[in-house]
Amino acid sequence: MINKAVKAIWTKKSRPKKSILRRWSIANAAFFFVAILIVAFASFRIVLSTIDKSNKQSMIQSMNNLVAPLQKSDVPLSVKNLKSYLKIDSDLEFNKNEYVIQTLPVLSNMIGQKNLSFYIYGNNKKLIFSTLDKSFPFHRDTEGKTVLINYEGSQGFLLSKAISSVKSNQIVGYALIFFNLDPFTSLAQEIFSYFVWIALVGFVTAAFFGYWMGRRFTHPISKITGSMEKVAAHPDEKFVPVEIEQEDEVGQIAKFYNSMMNRVNYYIEQQKGFVSDVSHELRTPLAVIDGHLKLLKRWGKDDPKVLEESLNISIDEISNVKLMLEEMLSISRLENLPHEYLMKKCSPLTETANALTNFKLLHKDFIVELDNKVLVSTEIQMDPSHYVQALNILLENAAKYSPDIPKSIKLTLRESGKYVEASVSDQGIGISNEDQNLIFERFYRADRARNREIGGTGLGLSILSKMIKQYQGEIKVESNLGEGSIFTFKIPKVKS
C-alpha cells in the first residue's frame, strides 16, 4: 500500500508544471534582447548628442563667417548693398517677395554643409536674402545660442544674431541660420531600426543557444530525476548509480545522491537482514519454550523431574531472549549516542584494571596476562562505562571461544601516536578468513554449528564495532583457525 501511494504521488509530480529549461531559454533571450536595446538606445543618444554638439559649433562658426563681412556696413542692409558686402559678382535675382535666392558656390562654401540655410533680414525685419527658395519668418535674437524648433514639418536648430556695424555700432540687419535635422533623424531612425532587427535576431539566436546550453547543463539533472523516478516506481529493484562525468555542482549533487542512495540501500538491506535474523534467532527459543509448556500441559506437570527440567530450560531461553533484546536496544542507543558521551574521557589503565577485576570474578579458571605500555597520566576520549563494556565484550568472547586448555588470555595496552590501542588475544578455535569480514555484523557467529552449545546472541561484536566508530576509533581482528584470535581497537587520546 505504501509503495502504491508513493508511486501515485510521484506520478502526479514527476512532470514539472514549469520547465526550468524553457524559462532559462526565455530569460536568456529576453536579457540579450533588452541588453541590445539598451546598448542601441545609449549609442543612439551618444551619437545624437555628439552630432548635435558638432552641428551647434558648426552653426556658430558659420554665423561668424556670415556676419563678419556684413558688419562693415555703416548703413542698414538692403537687397542693393548686400551684394558688395558678400562679394558676389553675378547679378542678384529678385522674386515677387523681393528677397534674393542665392545659389552661388561662394556662399555654399561659406556654409560648409547642405543642411544649413542662411537668412538675412533688414532693419525692418523683412527677409532680403535666403539660400533657399522659400521664406523663413523672423525670429528674435537667440543671444548666440542654438534652439530647437519645428517649422513646416521640419525639425532643426535655429541660431539668430543682430548685425552691428563696426563703424557706427548700430544694428544694420539680422542674420539667421537654420540647421535641418530631418536627414539626421531619418538616418538615426533607420539605424535604430537596424538595431531592433539585430536585437530580434539576437533574441531568437539567444533563445536557441540558451536552450541548447541549458539542455546540456540540465541533462545530468534529468538523469538524477530519472533515477529518482525509477527508485520511486520500483523501490525493490537494485539501485544503479548515476554516472556523471562533469566536475561541477551538478556532479557533486550526483555524487551525494549516489552516496546517499548507497547508504539507504545498505541500511535497507541491513534492516531486512536484521528482521530476518531476529525472526530466526527468536524462533528457536520460542519454539523451545512452546514445546516445554505444551509438554507440561499434557502430562509433564505431574512429573516433578520433567517439571523442574522444563521450567529451567524455559527460564534459560527467556533469559537469552531478554539478553538479545537488551543488546538490540544497546545497538539502537549507540547509533544515536548523545554528544555529552562523546566528550567524556577516562584513564585506560584504571578502567582496564576494573574490567579485569570483574572478569576474574566470573572466570576464575582463566589466566589473564596484562602487558601495559601506557602511562598513568594518559587519557582517552571515551566514556568510562563504554570502555569497560568494550573490554568485557572482547574478554567474554575470548573466554567463550577458548573452551579447552590452555585457558589463558593476554591483554595488551600501548600508545600509538594519537591513539591508545587495546588488544585481547586468546588461544581458542580461531576465525576463518571468510568469517573475519562478517563477524562485526549483527547476529553473525563464526562457528554456527556450536551456537547453541556456546551460547550468546551474536550481537556483542556488532555493539563493539558501532561503539568504537562512534568515538572515531578503529577495530581489527587477526586470526587463523585453530590458532586463536587477536582483537585490537584503538581510541583517540584526549587532545592536550
Side-chain angles (χ1 to χ4, degrees), residues 31-56:
F31 173 79
F32 185 85
F33 180 75
V34 172
I36 289 292
L37 287 182
I38 291 174
V39 171
F41 182 77
S43 303
F44 179 71
R45 296 303 304 172
I46 292 172
V47 170
L48 284 183
S49 177
T50 304
I51 292 175
D52 289 349
K53 184 177 181 181
S54 175
N55 289 335
K56 289 177 181 179

Side-chain angles (χ1 to χ4, degrees), residues 153-169:
S154 296
Q155 188 180 55
F157 291 125
L158 177 68
L159 176 63
S160 62
K161 187 176 183 179
I163 304 172
S164 298
S165 172
V166 294
K167 295 179 180 180
S168 62
N169 202 27

Side-chain angles (χ1 to χ4, degrees), residues 308-334:
E308 180 71 18
E309 181 181 359
S310 296
L311 290 177
N312 288 336
I313 292 174
S314 297
I315 291 172
D316 289 340
E317 294 297 336
I318 290 174
S319 298
N320 289 335
V321 172
K322 182 180 177 181
L323 177 62
M324 182 188 303
L325 294 176
E326 289 177 351
E327 291 186 341
M328 287 166 59
L329 290 174
S330 178
I331 290 177
S332 177
R333 285 193 293 268
L334 284 173

Side-chain angles (χ1 to χ4, degrees), residues 329-353:
L329 290 174
S330 178
I331 290 177
S332 177
R333 285 193 293 268
L334 284 173
E335 290 176 347
N336 299 281
L337 200 61
H339 181 68
E340 55 266 22
Y341 274 89
L342 301 176
M343 299 306 296
K344 290 184 178 181
K345 55 187 178 180
C346 68
S347 168
L349 191 57
T350 301
E351 301 307 328
T352 298

Side-chain angles (χ1 to χ4, degrees), residues 121-354:
Y121 300 84
N123 275 349
N124 58 1
K125 300 178 183 178
K126 289 186 177 181
L127 183 66
I128 60 175
F129 179 83
S130 170
T131 57
L132 294 180
D133 58 353
K134 63 179 180 179
S135 63
F136 197 96
F138 179 80
H139 282 71
R140 291 183 180 179
D141 184 10
T142 60
E143 298 180 354
K145 296 180 181 179
T146 56
V147 294
L148 185 67
I149 67 168
N150 288 298
Y151 177 67
E152 294 184 354
S154 296
Q155 188 180 55
F157 291 125
L158 177 68
L159 176 63
S160 62
K161 187 176 183 179
I163 304 172
S164 298
S165 172
V166 294
K167 295 179 180 180
S168 62
N169 202 27
Q170 298 293 320
I171 295 177
V172 295
Y174 299 91
L176 185 147
I177 296 177
F178 179 73
F179 186 91
N180 191 353
L181 290 176
D182 287 348
F184 291 97
T185 304
S186 300
L187 179 61
Q189 290 175 348
E190 187 176 356
I191 293 174
F192 189 77
S193 66
Y194 287 147
F195 272 112
V196 172
W197 277 107
I198 292 173
L200 289 174
V201 173
F203 177 84
V204 176
T205 304
F208 280 105
F209 181 75
Y211 184 84
W212 178 72
M213 289 298 296
R215 190 167 184 178
R216 286 194 62 185
F217 292 150
T218 58
H219 179 65
I221 299 178
S222 300
K223 293 177 69 175
I224 297 174
T225 305
S227 176
M228 291 180 177
E229 289 180 347
K230 185 177 179 181
V231 170
H234 308 284
D236 296 329
E237 291 186 4
K238 184 180 179 180
F239 172 70
V240 179
V242 179
E243 295 183 2
I244 296 178
E245 297 180 356
Q246 59 195 63
E247 298 292 334
D248 55 11
E249 289 81 357
V250 178
Q252 287 184 330
I253 292 175
K255 289 181 180 179
F256 291 145
Y257 171 69
N258 289 337
S259 176
M260 178 189 68
M261 289 305 301
N262 286 330
R263 290 184 64 183
V264 169
N265 279 359
Y266 171 78
Y267 287 128
I268 290 175
E269 292 300 322
Q270 287 289 97
Q271 189 68 23
K272 289 180 180 178
F274 179 74
V275 173
S276 176
D277 291 339
V278 169
S279 301
H280 175 75
E281 293 294 328
L282 290 178
R283 186 182 295 113
T284 301
L286 292 177
V288 171
I289 295 172
D290 180 67
H292 281 280
L293 290 178
K294 288 180 178 178
L295 174 65
L296 294 177
K297 184 178 180 180
R298 288 197 303 269
W299 57 273
K301 61 181 179 291
D302 298 326
D303 188 334
K305 184 178 179 180
V306 174
L307 177 61
E308 180 71 18
E309 181 181 359
S310 296
L311 290 177
N312 288 336
I313 292 174
S314 297
I315 291 172
D316 289 340
E317 294 297 336
I318 290 174
S319 298
N320 289 335
V321 172
K322 182 180 177 181
L323 177 62
M324 182 188 303
L325 294 176
E326 289 177 351
E327 291 186 341
M328 287 166 59
L329 290 174
S330 178
I331 290 177
S332 177
R333 285 193 293 268
L334 284 173
E335 290 176 347
N336 299 281
L337 200 61
H339 181 68
E340 55 266 22
Y341 274 89
L342 301 176
M343 299 306 296
K344 290 184 178 181
K345 55 187 178 180
C346 68
S347 168
L349 191 57
T350 301
E351 301 307 328
T352 298
N354 294 334

Side-chain angles (χ1 to χ4, degrees), residues 400-413:
K400 189 185 303 180
Y401 291 96
S402 301
D404 303 322
I405 297 175
K407 293 191 173 184
S408 62
I409 299 172
K410 184 177 181 180
L411 176 56
T412 304
L413 294 180

